[in-house]
Amino acid sequence: MRTATYFFIFLNLSLALFEEPAVYPLPFLVTSVVEVLCLLVFFGRLTHFAKVTHRNVFWKDTKNICIMVAILLSLTDLAIYGVLRIYNVRSIRWSRIVRPIFLINFAESRQIRRAFRSIRNTLPEITYVFLLFMFSLLMFSLMALKLFGERNLQTAEGLPYFKNYLEIVFDLYVLVTTANSPDVMMPAFDFSSWYALFFIAFVIVNTYIFMSLFLAVVYNNYKKHLKVMFGGGICD
């Protein structure tokens, strides 16, 4: 039963690779039949679980309620999408975002729920580091606007360089990953090589210091919550 449940969960999640828009799209009838089959299996597994569980316990378990709601939403979305498709009305499958619910909430997925709960408990504790990082990014973006905005610099494509504050924020955010380095600083570097110090300082502060701090906080808090769950015998 566990193997079958995991197989159909994997099959249901894999449908996103073949539904519109997809690199290898399958006909809508094929994907819809497979999805309905998966939902029937999930419903059957839930019914089987209800038969061997006390009624009050079953209905008080939020995991079972989440699965039933996800099945209902998926069937409703599939029916609406099918009707709109008949009348050539373009729409999207919004219920795809609920598919991971099946992976998390079935009884067989206890370890996944523990990991998910550890991630959820870790998020509030990394908020302060994230806010500090965003503050640093916004401040560096403001300095970049003051340094380069009035010098009428242009990019290699002939576009204005660092004239719009939101675009600067985005460019420097990408620079944290070094994906646009050194291209993003070349117009300023061509104007004066001393401006490279600004970008070097930005990379040191945000890429090396903040990202290392961010990773350390995430790892330590995740490990702490996971240890509490396993050591404390938290059940679900």
Side-chain angles (χ1 to χ4, degrees):
M1 184 67 71
R2 179 180 300 175
T3 303
T5 302
Y6 278 135
F7 171 77
F8 282 101
I9 289 174
F10 175 76
L11 184 62
N12 189 46
L13 293 173
S14 300
L15 286 176
L17 300 174
F18 306 102
E19 296 172 323
E20 273 188 28
V23 179
Y24 304 105
L26 292 175
F28 170 71
L29 182 61
V30 175
T31 57
S32 59
V33 169
V34 173
E35 183 173 5
V36 170
L37 175 63
C38 292
L39 295 177
L40 288 175
V41 171
F42 298 152
F43 182 76
R45 178 68 184 93
L46 198 63
T47 303
H48 170 263
F49 188 68
K51 293 292 184 181
V52 297
T53 308
H54 194 274
R55 177 177 298 179
N56 291 334
V57 175
F58 178 83
W59 288 106
K60 287 182 180 179
D61 194 338
T62 54
K63 297 188 296 295
N64 300 327
I65 305 300
C66 287
I67 293 174
M68 286 188 287
V69 170
I71 292 174
L72 181 61
L73 290 176
S74 298
L75 288 174
T76 303
D77 179 42
L78 182 62
I80 294 174
Y81 183 83
V83 172
L84 293 177
R85 188 182 178 90
I86 293 174
Y87 291 98
N88 295 321
V89 178
R90 188 172 182 83
S91 61
I92 59 172
R93 292 293 313 279
W94 50 264
S95 67
R96 292 173 183 169
I97 60 175
V98 306
R99 290 176 181 172
I101 290 177
F102 300 117
L103 177 64
I104 297 172
N105 286 283
F106 271 113
E108 290 83 357
S109 304
R110 184 173 291 108
Q111 301 299 333
I112 296 177
R113 281 197 300 278
R114 284 178 173 175
F116 181 79
R117 189 179 291 113
S118 296
I119 295 173
R120 184 191 63 192
N121 293 335
T122 301
L123 288 178
E125 300 179 19
I126 65 175
T127 302
Y128 298 110
V129 179
F130 178 75
L131 290 177
L132 285 174
F133 164 72
M134 289 304 301
F135 177 78
S136 173
L137 177 65
L138 294 175
M139 290 298 99
F140 269 99
S141 300
L142 185 61
M143 286 189 288
L145 180 63
K146 295 299 182 181
L147 280 174
F148 311 120
E150 298 178 356
R151 285 170 170 73
N152 297 320
L153 302 179
Q154 291 184 335
T155 64
E157 294 80 14
L159 300 175
Y161 179 72
F162 278 14
K163 285 282 190 178
N164 184 281
Y165 182 67
L166 294 180
E167 291 181 359
I168 297 173
V169 172
F170 178 76
D171 287 337
L172 293 183
Y173 175 77
V174 176
L175 181 59
V176 174
T177 68
T178 68
N180 59 354
S181 177
D183 298 344
V184 70
M185 75 175 201
M186 291 313 297
F189 181 81
D190 291 338
F191 184 81
S192 174
S193 59
W194 288 102
Y195 284 137
L197 295 176
F198 170 83
F199 295 96
I200 293 173
F202 176 83
V203 170
I204 290 174
V205 172
N206 292 280
T207 301
Y208 291 104
I209 296 179
F210 268 110
M211 289 299 101
S212 299
L213 181 63
F214 193 81
L215 178 62
V217 172
V218 170
Y219 174 76
N220 288 329
N221 283 283
Y222 178 83
K223 184 174 66 174
K224 179 183 70 176
H225 289 297
L226 205 61
K227 186 182 297 184
V228 169
M229 286 187 180
F230 281 98
I234 295 177
C235 61
D236 50 357

